[in-house]
Structure formats: C-alpha cells, structure tokens
Amino acid sequence: MLIEIADLEIRPVDFREEYSPGVIDLGEEVRQRSPLLAEGRADLVEEHHGKHKVVQDIRLKGKLGTSLEVACARCLDPVVHEVERSFDLLYRPIGTDSGHAELSVTDAEAEIGYYAGQGLLLEDALREQVLLALPLKTICRDDCKGLCPHCGKNLNETQCSCVDEVEDPRWSALKEIRTKLNQ
C-alpha cells in the first residue's frame, strides 16, 4: 500500500491491512507463520524550516501483530516469536536534511525515517518494525547446549562421542620440536 502525500493533503489515511506469509520479505532467517495484521493512521505533518521552506513529513501511528519463526543461534531449532507492537513513526522526504554541516543528532532526530518520491510504502515501514521486534540473538532456552562443533549433533538431544580437544595441525611442527627438546 502506497501512502501518497497527495492523499494526505486532503485528509488522513486510515489503514487496516493483512499480509499473508511471504508477501513482505523479512529475509532468509525469519519465517512468517501467520498473517501480519496492521492497522493505524497516516497523517501529514508540515514542518517549517526557515521562512519559506515547508517540509511534508508522514506520521504513521498504529499497531501490528504476527507470529514469526527464527532459528536458535546455538542449536538451529526453530523458535516461535509472537510479535505485538505499537508504533508511532515519522518519515521525512529524503534529502531534506542534506547540506547541513555535521551536527550531533538528538534522540528525536534519530527516530526519523526517510521516504523517496511522492509517498511511503507501508510494507517497508512494517518490515522494519517486525525486524526490530525480534531479539538480536534468538536462543531456544537458557541452557541450550548447541551443536557439536565437530560432528554437528544437537547436544540438547544426544551426547556425541567426539573428543573435546582436537589438535590444530598447524601446531604439529612445534610439538615435534618440544618432543625433541624433552628427550
């Protein structure tokens, strides 16, 4: 759904959208298990920059919900995340802030996104919010043992018979020298 500036100049745009799994690309590591439901409102916010310059920002306010599946970072088993998130976002036309000297960014300015052209794709804003709702590292449980680095068995399910200490062949020449010195 494209939220266009021309429509927002007339009136705010209410949205209630449902996206089936696979419609929004969340990347290879995230699988959407249920439809993504999003509802809210888009408003036009006019900012005056100087005497004659008016910047048209888009404000998105709403909520979303879906169910996602991500692989555990240790054992690669699937982990389900129920995502329920409210958002209040501000998007400014790309290039509006260019040309200014390097200044420190305030917390409020760090929360501003940018759009190009005559509007904003709602799907892009929703993708960002869904991915931000996920933890940086997903673990299936606190005591997850992960995979054996040698044979690849899931150590939560079975114990492997691998030797813990595997010698690096690059050190073999030094080991031979130490053996000769000890004789």
Side-chain angles (χ1 to χ4, degrees):
M1 172 183 185
L2 180 64
I3 299 171
E4 295 185 71
I5 294 292
D7 294 338
L8 293 175
E9 287 175 334
I10 298 169
R11 69 185 179 297
V13 174
D14 291 324
F15 58 88
R16 183 176 178 84
E17 299 289 323
E18 181 175 321
Y19 298 95
S20 299
V23 171
I24 296 178
D25 181 17
L26 298 173
E28 294 177 12
E29 297 177 8
V30 179
R31 188 173 81 85
Q32 186 180 333
R33 295 171 34 106
S34 66
L36 171 64
L37 303 172
E39 63 181 47
R41 173 175 273 211
D43 291 302
L44 184 66
V45 178
E46 292 187 343
E47 286 188 54
H48 296 277
H49 289 226
K51 241 181 184 178
H52 304 287
K53 186 176 180 184
V54 176
V55 176
Q56 294 181 315
D57 295 342
I58 298 173
R59 180 181 184 195
L60 281 182
K61 189 173 185 176
K63 60 184 178 178
L64 62 85
T66 190
S67 178
L68 305 173
E69 188 176 286
V70 182
C72 173
R74 293 181 185 165
C75 69
L76 302 179
D77 281 348
V79 179
V80 176
H81 288 283
E82 299 299 328
V83 175
E84 296 289 330
R85 185 176 181 104
S86 296
F87 54 88
D88 189 356
L89 309 168
L90 189 66
Y91 290 89
R92 184 171 286 163
I94 198 162
T96 301
D97 297 329
S98 64
H100 299 300
E102 263 190 54
L103 302 170
S104 62
V105 178
T106 65
D107 288 341
E109 291 171 326
E111 298 295 322
I112 296 174
Y114 294 93
Y115 70 89
Q118 296 303 310
L120 171 71
L121 267 174
L122 179 61
E123 291 85 351
D124 290 343
L126 295 176
R127 175 187 308 110
E128 178 182 79
Q129 291 304 302
V130 167
L131 294 175
L132 285 172
L134 291 173
L136 290 174
K137 192 176 219 182
T138 300
I139 298 174
C140 62
R141 59 184 198 237
D142 288 337
D143 63 339
C144 178
K145 297 175 185 174
L147 302 176
C148 173
H150 308 294
C151 68
K153 286 186 181 176
N154 186 337
L155 298 175
N156 296 316
E157 297 170 2
T158 61
Q159 288 296 323
C160 66
S161 57
C162 295
V163 178
D164 286 341
E165 195 172 323
V166 174
E167 260 184 57
D168 189 339
R170 295 175 290 183
W171 294 102
S172 62
L174 289 175
K175 187 176 182 182
E176 288 174 18
I177 293 171
R178 185 173 65 184
T179 306
K180 289 179 184 177
L181 289 174
N182 290 337
Q183 291 177 353

